[in-house]
């Protein structure tokens, strides 16, 4: 029996994780769950999975939850302290980090410090503090399993291979909803257009990140840390069908790939049950039913955010944290109708321009950098009036 905690259980990854858990009640027990403000869904999850502990965003929500639970009542916590309590709770073997954004950094670091293995969906944690997190993983001798489909594919394509033989990691990208839109129309796309992803159903923030391709940028940085591979050896190929989830090229010219129907339950299950495989209910792949698999290079004029991620890695140190925080602010501003689609990358670029990269030696320093960049980006999108 594996005891697991899910941070962000009411999100897209959280819900898919609980589907995998439900399908294998003999394998998993849920120790703790955390949610933002979706009390309705959390109530149902408490009823079904009976966690020892839950945490929600605020004290007000915690009180409301406590009052409204008809039967079984877990320990109820709130705020960042609550997230840390859940991430480190009792006898969990593994913590699924599925909060969106840099808000996942503190609880994920706490889980590692407490000696928990981590199934990582929350890529922003590695973008904000990759070196520090990987040092912590080594110090605490825990395992960090990728949940992101591309990184799961790379992980699977490296199984049984020697890292020294890896020539290149090739991350695939769908290209999102605007892959073929005439460039001069990008400035006029609507929020709904941007939320309409062709292949994957995901939370709102990552869906916008996929439209700008900042998601792939974040994933390049995530891969840099997870697989200890420099940016020069991480390529991005646009592959609109999202069937090959990523590839690894070796020195002998052989390329290993992992394929499947796009469904996050497959990489989630692999992270939860590694090195075993279990049925997930993911639809079988029928290659003969596809009209073809295509690949091409991304165009930075269409996807400037991807270039910004390579720039941030080249600048190194604190710059990826700045890029990530500026992106979070810009995406929120876009989703609130405050800025246009192409302003997202422009805001990130200007925030990065205003920053001089410096070393980050603690998580606290990463958080200070993250806060600085948010303030700068808010100033740039006009959300903060001075
Ligand atoms: P989502 O928005 O659907 O869910 C986010 C979860 O985090 C929710 O439970 C929400 O309540 C909680 N949350 C949000 N802000 C919080 C805060 N400040 N404090 C505490 N909890 C908070 O997001 P998602 O699509 O499930 O993505 C989660 C993470 O997984 C992201 O980092 C994303 O990049 C990554 N990821 C997602 C997918 C996908 O298919 N959805 C694929 C790969 C990677
Ligand atoms: Mg991905």
């Amino acid at each position: 029996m594996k005891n697991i905690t899910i941070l962000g259980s009411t999100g897209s990854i959280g819900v898919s994780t609980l589907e995998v858990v439900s399908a294998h009640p003999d394998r998993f027990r849920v120790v703790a769950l955390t949610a933002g403000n979706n009390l309705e869904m959390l109530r149902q999850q408490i009823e079904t999975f009976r966690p020892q502990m839950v945490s929600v965003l605020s004290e007000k929500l915690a009180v409301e939850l406590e009052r409204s639970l008809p039967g079984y009542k877990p320990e109820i916590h709130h705020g960042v302290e609550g997230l840390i309590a859940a991430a480190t709770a009792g006898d969990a073997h593994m913590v699924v980090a599925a909060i969106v954004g840099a808000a996942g950094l503190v609880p994920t670091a706490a889980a590692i410090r407490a000696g928990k293995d981590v199934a990582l969906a929350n890529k922003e944690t590695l973008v904000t503090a990759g070196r520090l997190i990987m040092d912590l993983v080594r110090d605490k001798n825990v395992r960090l399993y990728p949940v992101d489909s591309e990184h799961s594919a790379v992980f699977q394509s490296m199984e049984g291979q020697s890292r020294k033989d890896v020539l290149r990691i090739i991350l695939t990208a769908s290209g999102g909803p605007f892959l073929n839109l005439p460039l001069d129309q990008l400035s006029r796309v609507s929020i709904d257009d941007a939320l309409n992803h062709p292949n994957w159903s995901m939370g709102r923030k990552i869906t916008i990140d996929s439209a700008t391709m900042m998601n792939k940028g974040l994933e390049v940085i995530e891969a840099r840390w997870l697989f200890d591979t420099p940016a020069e050896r991480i390529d991005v190929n646009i592959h609109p069908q999202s069937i090959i989830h990523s590839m690894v090229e070796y020195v002998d010219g052989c390329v290993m790939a992992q394929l499947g129907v796009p469904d996050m339950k497959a990489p989630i299950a692999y992270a939860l049950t590694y090195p075993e495989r279990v049925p997930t209910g993911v639809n079988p792949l029928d290659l003969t039913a596809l009209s073809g698999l295509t690949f091409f290079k991304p165009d930075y004029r269409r996807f400037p955010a991807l270039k910004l991620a390579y720039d941030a890695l080249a600048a190194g140190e604190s710059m990826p944290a700045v890029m990530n925080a500026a992106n979070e602010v810009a995406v929120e501003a876009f989703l609130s109708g405050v800025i246009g689609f192409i302003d997202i990358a422009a805001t990130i670029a200007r925030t990065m321009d205003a920053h001089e990269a410096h070393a980050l030696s603690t998580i606290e320093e990463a958080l200070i950098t993250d806060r600085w960049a948010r303030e700068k980006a808010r100033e740039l999108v006009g959300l903060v009036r001075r």
Side-chain angles (χ1 to χ4, degrees):
M1 191 63 92
K2 193 175 236 172
N3 296 335
I4 67 164
T5 283
I6 304 172
L7 307 174
S9 65
T10 55
S12 163
I13 292 291
V15 167
S16 296
T17 304
L18 286 171
E19 283 177 34
V20 172
V21 167
S22 292
H24 301 280
D26 51 320
R27 283 179 175 266
F28 303 111
R29 194 168 67 86
V30 175
V31 174
L33 298 174
T34 83
N37 50 22
N38 190 345
L39 292 191
E40 185 52 45
M41 189 185 289
L42 182 60
R43 258 196 297 272
Q44 287 167 15
Q45 294 179 347
I46 291 170
E47 197 61 39
T48 310
F49 298 98
R50 308 245 159 175
Q52 293 160 21
M53 185 190 289
V54 299
S55 185
V56 291
L57 270 189
S58 66
E59 187 170 10
K60 185 168 166 283
L61 289 167
V63 170
E64 197 181 325
L65 178 65
E66 161 85 38
R67 286 209 188 107
S68 64
L69 282 175
Y72 174 77
K73 282 193 208 293
E75 259 179 63
I76 302 176
H77 296 255
H78 65 269
V80 176
E81 292 308 312
L83 286 177
I84 295 171
T88 58
D91 53 359
H93 303 116
M94 175 177 269
V95 171
V96 180
I99 288 175
V100 60
L105 172 58
V106 166
T108 303
I112 298 168
R113 281 201 190 94
K116 316 285 188 194
D117 287 339
V118 170
L120 186 81
N122 179 225
K123 61 193 87 182
E124 296 91 341
T125 279
L126 281 184
V127 175
T128 303
R131 186 185 306 279
L132 297 167
I133 290 289
M134 295 316 287
D135 284 351
L136 211 50
V137 164
R138 264 187 301 275
D139 285 355
K140 295 292 170 184
N141 199 21
V142 301
R143 297 290 312 250
L144 185 58
Y145 297 103
V147 166
D148 217 340
S149 57
E150 295 76 1
H151 304 73
S152 179
V154 170
F155 179 57
Q156 294 181 56
S157 300
M158 284 185 176
E159 274 294 291
Q161 308 294 327
S162 174
R163 286 285 170 92
K164 71 171 178 27
D165 296 334
V166 171
L167 197 61
R168 209 161 48 116
I169 289 173
I170 305 158
L171 300 178
T172 53
S174 70
F178 305 138
L179 182 57
N180 298 311
L181 192 76
L183 281 179
D184 60 357
Q185 289 178 28
L186 272 180
S187 60
R188 293 194 297 275
V189 300
S190 71
I191 298 169
D192 285 345
D193 293 338
L195 283 173
N196 187 20
H197 196 279
N199 304 350
W200 296 94
S201 156
M202 312 177 283
R204 284 159 66 88
K205 190 254 176 188
I206 183 176
T207 304
I208 301 303
D209 286 349
S210 299
T212 60
M213 253 173 95
M214 178 50 89
N215 183 50
K216 211 52 52 180
L218 299 174
E219 290 182 356
V220 168
I221 301 174
E222 183 185 13
R224 186 261 169 269
W225 294 114
L226 277 176
F227 307 111
D228 192 20
T229 301
E232 308 78 67
R233 290 171 182 257
I234 306 173
D235 284 356
V236 171
N237 281 184
I238 292 184
H239 166 45
Q241 299 81 18
S242 296
I243 295 296
I244 293 188
H245 298 312
S246 282
M247 299 170 256
V248 180
E249 182 182 347
Y250 290 90
V251 286
D252 58 359
C254 291
V255 178
M256 310 289 278
Q258 185 261 329
L259 290 73
V261 168
D263 185 327
M264 288 307 294
K265 287 201 292 296
I268 290 169
Y270 196 62
L272 295 185
T273 64
Y274 176 86
E276 289 178 74
R277 290 183 185 271
V278 294
T280 55
V282 170
N283 288 331
L285 175 62
D286 178 3
L287 285 171
T288 64
L290 297 169
S291 54
L293 299 181
T294 51
F295 303 87
F296 44 95
K297 283 195 162 58
D299 175 353
Y300 285 153
R301 286 172 309 162
R302 183 179 297 280
F303 300 114
L306 177 61
K307 166 105 179 15
L308 291 175
Y310 278 104
D311 292 348
L313 258 184
E317 312 285 359
S318 54
M319 195 58 92
V322 167
M323 180 198 77
N324 177 70
N327 180 54
E328 289 189 32
V329 169
V331 168
E332 212 171 285
F334 171 71
L335 283 172
S336 319
V338 175
I339 62 172
F341 184 75
I342 59 171
D343 301 326
I344 298 174
T347 303
I348 302 164
R350 289 176 65 194
T351 309
M352 287 168 64
D353 282 347
H355 180 72
E356 191 124 3
H358 56 78
L360 297 175
S361 41
T362 60
I363 300 280
E364 186 48 42
E365 282 179 29
L367 294 173
I368 291 169
T369 300
D370 171 274
R371 281 196 290 271
W372 174 86
R374 277 168 208 272
E375 200 165 315
K376 187 76 204 167
R378 281 198 197 104
E379 186 187 310
L380 290 169
V381 300
L383 290 179
V384 169
R385 309 229 185 283
R386 284 172 183 271

